[in-house]
Amino acid sequence: MKDQVNDRTDQYGGSLENCCRFALEIVEAVANEIGAERVGIRLSPFADYLESGDSNPKELGLYMAESLNKYGILYCPMVEPRMNGVLEKPNTSDSLLPMRKAFKGSFIVAGGYDREEGNNAIIENRTDLVAYGRPFLANPDLPRRFELNVHLNKYDRETFYTSDPVIGYTDYPFLEDSA
């Protein structure tokens, strides 16, 4: 979808509509096959991993959020602009709020949220749900830890995507084990 990597000149390249066409065709096909109430698509319009950014990520995210409404899909997780490819959360004035307002299904935000930020996003109606990837990986009992407002295990990035030995995905301690 992103114009910095999509250099096609056919019906799947060039304009924003054309660049998004393939993703929307997939959403439509899957929704038609299994029902829109079972379909979601995760989007990262602001991400610039491996130089795969977009010249106007706000427009891209908003176009996709609005276009997805046509298919009545259940949910759309989007990654925060602050998680644009760096390991730490930079300050940015970019926001997912226009996409949240445009999308009619359940809107989910992801990208470096902690307990307080996630609660505030819900309270302020900036999202319906918050996704916690790395914190959940390192804290198999994350809901309980959030409920008690206690310390979290720190994730070890060095163990991400390792195959031998398999460590990091199943060996983080539960709250009662780490006390």
Side-chain angles (χ1 to χ4, degrees):
M1 290 187 284
K2 296 182 178 180
D3 61 15
Q4 290 180 7
V5 291
N6 184 342
D7 58 2
R8 295 178 67 138
T9 57
D10 61 6
Q11 74 223 27
Y12 294 101
S15 69
L16 177 63
E17 294 79 11
N18 284 353
C19 286
C20 294
R21 181 186 312 271
F22 183 69
L24 294 171
E25 286 177 357
I26 296 296
V27 167
E28 180 179 30
V30 173
N32 288 341
E33 184 66 27
I34 66 171
E37 72 281 1
R38 294 183 173 143
V39 177
I41 181 171
R42 181 177 167 127
L43 301 172
S44 304
F46 293 91
D48 189 14
Y49 299 108
L50 301 173
E51 300 177 9
S52 64
D54 193 81
S55 62
N56 193 339
K58 291 178 192 177
E59 183 182 17
L60 171 63
L62 190 56
Y63 177 81
M64 283 298 294
E66 291 169 343
S67 297
L68 290 168
N69 291 327
K70 174 182 176 184
Y71 308 105
I73 65 172
L74 180 62
Y75 65 97
C76 180
M78 277 204 196
V79 179
E80 284 287 352
R82 62 188 183 185
M83 303 305 287
N84 65 355
V86 296
L87 299 180
E88 277 137 37
K89 299 185 278 189
N91 289 330
T92 178
S93 62
D94 289 327
S95 167
L96 295 178
L97 196 53
M99 295 94 184
R100 192 279 193 269
K101 289 179 178 178
F103 184 67
K104 303 300 182 209
S106 293
F107 193 76
I108 305 168
V109 294
Y113 278 88
D114 62 20
R115 179 183 181 273
E116 182 179 354
E117 290 171 322
N119 285 338
N120 287 339
I122 300 272
I123 291 166
E124 295 166 6
N125 200 28
R126 291 183 280 128
T127 191
D128 296 306
L129 299 164
V130 178
Y132 296 94
R134 291 176 222 137
F136 229 128
L137 174 69
N139 297 276
D141 53 357
L142 186 65
R144 180 75 173 143
R145 288 175 190 253
F146 277 2
E147 178 185 0
L148 298 173
N149 196 18
V150 297
H151 75 280
L152 300 180
N153 298 321
K154 293 184 181 190
Y155 61 84
D156 181 1
R157 185 176 291 283
E158 297 297 317
T159 64
F160 291 0
Y161 310 110
T162 60
S163 59
D164 189 24
V166 177
I167 56 173
Y169 290 99
T170 60
D171 55 358
Y172 285 100
F174 285 80
L175 188 58
E176 63 270 7
D177 298 335
S178 64

